[in-house]
Amino acid sequence: MTKKTTWSVCSTVNEPLYIIERFVEHYRKMGAQQVALFLDTDTTEVVDRFQGDTFVKCFPRSEWPVRDKSASHENTQSNNYRHYIARFCSTDWVGHVDGDEHLTNTSHKKTIADIFAGVGTQITAVRFLPAEVVFTE
């Protein structure tokens, strides 16, 4: 029996709760095993919302890896991504996307896991073109 390819999503977010909820639900429906959210805000609203949901791992700012406060937003995102991979990730692949980006599968014949499974073992990174999502409340 072939092992199923697993994947998760990591994102540094500063969006309103309703956008983060849609983000999480999108990836749940797409078949991800976990969503890791690095919360770029001091509010506890998102942590409270996903308390007890094993699909979502929230990292409030106080739990972020130590970093240079003058680091660019991109460097902060990269540091958070590396922190997740090194200490918490148990999936074969990790998608690193913004909170308003959704990976989609336009073929509808393959899942995201199928796409990752088809990548050769010598390939360590794959670039997807995400869909920017426009939200209304």
Side-chain angles (χ1 to χ4, degrees):
M1 182 179 198
T2 305
K3 177 188 173 284
K4 181 181 179 209
T5 300
T6 59
W7 63 285
S8 57
V9 174
C10 177
S11 186
T12 301
V13 295
N14 192 6
E15 281 76 22
L17 179 60
Y18 76 95
I19 291 177
I20 295 171
E21 287 174 327
R22 290 178 186 181
F23 177 87
V24 168
E25 286 312 307
H26 172 76
Y27 288 106
R28 193 185 310 265
K29 288 177 185 173
M30 293 299 293
Q33 278 64 48
Q34 185 174 54
V35 170
L37 301 173
F38 285 82
L39 307 172
D40 196 4
T41 178
D42 293 325
T43 182
T44 62
E45 182 180 38
V46 176
V47 173
D48 293 344
R49 165 62 181 85
F50 293 108
Q51 182 103 26
D53 186 340
T54 58
F55 181 71
V56 181
K57 173 71 176 147
C58 291
F59 296 89
R61 290 195 84 155
S62 60
E63 295 179 20
W64 287 15
V66 176
R67 68 190 195 295
D68 178 359
K69 301 288 187 203
S70 65
S72 70
H73 181 67
E74 291 79 11
N75 284 344
T76 298
Q77 288 177 318
S78 294
N79 287 339
N80 291 342
Y81 173 74
R82 285 190 296 273
H83 178 71
Y84 172 67
I85 288 175
R87 294 193 173 95
F88 299 98
C89 182
S90 62
T91 60
D92 301 313
W93 290 90
V94 180
H96 187 231
V97 296
D98 289 344
D100 63 348
E101 295 176 340
H102 289 183
L103 296 179
T104 59
N105 180 2
T106 57
S107 79
H108 303 290
K109 294 179 183 174
K110 292 184 178 182
T111 65
I112 298 292
D114 292 337
I115 293 168
F116 282 133
V119 176
T121 57
Q122 273 102 36
I123 305 295
T124 59
V126 177
R127 184 175 186 115
F128 283 84
L129 293 176
E132 286 283 335
V133 182
V134 178
F135 292 97
T136 59
E137 286 191 59

